Amino acid sequence: MLKLIASSRIHRLHPTVLRPAHDSASPLLKVLSSLGGLSRRNTDVGGSIQKSKHLLLLQPTTLHHCSYSGNSSLVSSHSLPTETESLLNFCHQRDLPRAMHVLDAMERRRVWADAIAYSELIKCCLAHGAVKEGKRVHRHIFSNGYHPKTFLINTLINMYVKFNLLEEAHVLFDKMPERNVVSWTTMISAYSNAKLNDRAVRLLVFMFRDGVMPNMFTFSSVLRACERLSDLKQLHSCIMKVGLESDVFVRSALIDVYSKLGELLEASSVFCEMVTGDSVVWNSIIAAFAQHSDGDEALHLYKSMSRAGFRSDQSTLTSILRACTSLSLLELGRQVHVLVLKFDQDLILNNALLDMYCKCGSLEDAKLIFNRMTKKDVISWSTMIAGLAQNGFSMEALNLFESMKVKGPKPNHITFIGILFACSHAGLVSEGWIYFRSMKNLYGVDPEREHYGCMLDLLGRAGMLDDMVKLIHEMNCEPDVVTWRTLLDACRARQNVDLATYAAKKILKLDPHDTGAYVLLSNIYATSKRWNEVAEVRKAMKIRGIRKEPGCSWIEVNKQIHAFILGDKSHPQIDEINRQLNLFICRLTGAGYVPDTNFVLQDLEGEQREDSLRYHSEKLAIVFGIMSCPKEKTIRIWKNLKICGDCHKFAKLIAKLEQRHIVIRDPIRYHHFRDGVCSCGDYW
């Protein structure tokens, strides 16, 4: 981040940076550490801000002097040249062609306008996205030896930044005889927004060396360019020394960046240091927890924000929807949807709603939102495609992708994750290869680790283990734990013990404490009745202190979460649940249900094997849902582990027997059970 900017212009301004560094301390740390003597009285932050505010607030009707050239002369606002008046009028009307015609006439007559007129002309170019005309204005302003004031040059720099022409902006910035806080902040913000973080931070160093003190806007911009915690803490210390720690934008940026670096405790500390009197800061801390999947804390903060009298805006609601998504709280998400209605056409909010409904398993609501959206971007299409695939409607997802190619935006790497996931969970091997190869060839999207993961999953489900190994060796990135676990899981389904052992060793080499590798290998040995190897794996787990996560299923009834674990009898209605479960199994046996003991992973015999399946957590949750919910209400269950085949068969039969719609979400996907069939088509 702190490498020197490869620019001779910077080197010309600061020749000392050409000297080789003889220590490891970054220039930022060196400069900031020298600011210990700074105090509010020797920083002109407030003055700089006031000056820039007054300049920006100037209107043509209040102009009493010409600030364009070095020899500005006082001019009455009533005696402005005709050309200047015409130029201003056309600019206010956003009539760029006629404004440029006036500019041409002025050049022919060798007449120049004032800074305000040129500023309005530049704004007019921005409004039209007219890069060519903007450059033409730039040439005119600097023609005939005139030297515009700092205010006008800042406006030109801002124009180039808005046009995303950062090199042109920096060339002009370099030529400025005098730079103020607005000049520096504009460039720092531009580099930060462009994710050129090393340049943004380096410019801050040069800004200090030039004796210009950053203001709150400078700090809020450069904070977001921090990639190292050490740099962030130094900046935080500097901010406190100059007395800007209470500024809304600075506090918000501090919270955002601490959160981005995974330092939620530090983010909370910034939030709690003083009374928060602005919704911007509330939104930042709520977003921090929501983005780190701590939905509980995000919702708690949202309640506190409401009690403090702050209203929700689009940013707040987006974070709350994300919290509902991470917790799979569909009913709460629907309540938030009511608040979203007043921002009906907000694209970001609609995308968040779409994501929430898809990931909470309510495809009907998701389709309704998607079809009603007047504007859809690549996120909208990709979210809907992935949602359909994750909920078992693979062909519908692929059909939607075909529509996207015709009338939607260009697909990106996220779109193809959803497409390949759909192929994987529908067993569409040939189609999956076609889409995978088209990524680069047709859309210029390089396959990433997630795309390889989907293809490996597709091949594994199809039993093509040799092709999986071949693809792993062809990957453009090093295989990680997830890659090898995908192979290991495929080996479990195909009972390839030797390849499974190889994959497990690869996983444990990368992560010696990976619980999943031990559990999957143990399950493979158990399915093959190799109980001695099962015992050895479990012994190794015990020595390393590794414990298998118990299967847990939970269901929300009357705004309360009810959790079930195999063997746990703490639920107040467990006796009645077990009694009803046994009655259902008796009825289902007559309909053809036979417990699938292949999913018993213990050395048991006869009835013991069937009993170990009977009380799986998802069965208990299903029965409790039937007992507690009316028939017209969908029973929604969440499970922390992949659903076993026996419970899958049980869910299909009981959904038909009781005429219920049952939805079970495991860590991979949703299963929608209705009329004796599952949306996955028994391929999961």
Side-chain angles (χ1 to χ4, degrees), residues 324-331 356 358-362 551-557 560-564 617-619 621-622 633-643 662-667 669-671:
C324 293
T325 302
S326 67
L327 297 171
S328 296
L329 297 178
L330 177 61
E331 295 306 320
M356 185 273 295
C358 284
K359 290 181 179 174
C360 288
S362 182
C552 177
S553 299
W554 59 97
I555 180 173
E556 182 182 359
V557 175
Q560 287 190 328
I561 303 296
H562 298 259
F564 298 91
S617 62
E618 52 265 61
K619 290 190 179 78
I622 289 171
K633 186 174 178 62
T634 301
I635 296 172
R636 299 181 185 276
I637 294 166
W638 294 264
K639 193 176 189 299
N640 65 332
L641 302 177
K642 186 178 179 180
I643 187 173
I662 300 171
V663 181
I664 298 180
R665 177 186 179 179
D666 65 18
R669 61 175 301 161
Y670 278 93
H671 296 265

Side-chain angles (χ1 to χ4, degrees), residues 365-389:
D365 290 308
K367 290 177 183 177
L368 193 63
I369 294 293
F370 184 78
N371 292 331
R372 285 184 175 178
M373 290 173 67
T374 56
K375 182 180 179 183
K376 302 182 184 79
D377 62 3
V378 67
I379 296 174
S380 317
W381 287 89
S382 301
T383 300
M384 194 68 231
I385 289 170
L388 288 166

Side-chain angles (χ1 to χ4, degrees), residues 29 37 102-103 107 119-120 212 225 238 286 324 340 367 383 401 419 434 512 520 590 643 666 670:
L29 300 186
V102 171
L103 189 72
E107 281 202 347
S119 174
E120 290 299 320
V212 180
C238 178
I286 292 171
C324 293
V340 172
K367 290 177 183 177
T383 300
F401 178 62
I419 290 300
I434 292 171
L520 279 172
I643 187 173
D666 65 18
Y670 278 93

Side-chain angles (χ1 to χ4, degrees), residues 1-5 196-203 225:
M1 177 179 70
L2 295 176
K3 292 180 180 178
L4 297 178
I5 297 177
L196 298 170
N197 296 331
D198 57 338
R199 292 194 175 194
V201 176
R202 178 63 63 184
L203 276 182

Side-chain angles (χ1 to χ4, degrees), residues 75-88:
V75 181
S76 168
S77 61
H78 297 291
S79 61
L80 285 173
T82 304
E83 289 83 356
T84 301
E85 290 182 348
S86 298
L87 187 62
L88 280 170

Side-chain angles (χ1 to χ4, degrees), residues 40 64 81 145 155 158 215 593:
R40 299 188 191 188
H64 294 289
T155 305
N158 179 65
N215 62 20
Y593 170 66

Side-chain angles (χ1 to χ4, degrees), residues 588 622 643 645-658 660 662 664 672-682 684:
L588 291 177
I622 289 171
I643 187 173
D646 182 67
C647 290
H648 193 272
K649 182 191 298 184
F650 175 85
K652 286 198 302 180
L653 292 173
I654 202 167
K656 183 176 182 179
L657 180 69
E658 290 294 304
R660 305 297 290 256
I662 300 171
I664 298 180
H672 292 254
F673 301 95
R674 201 196 304 255
D675 298 325
V677 297
C678 178
S679 60
C680 73
D682 296 340
W684 84 101

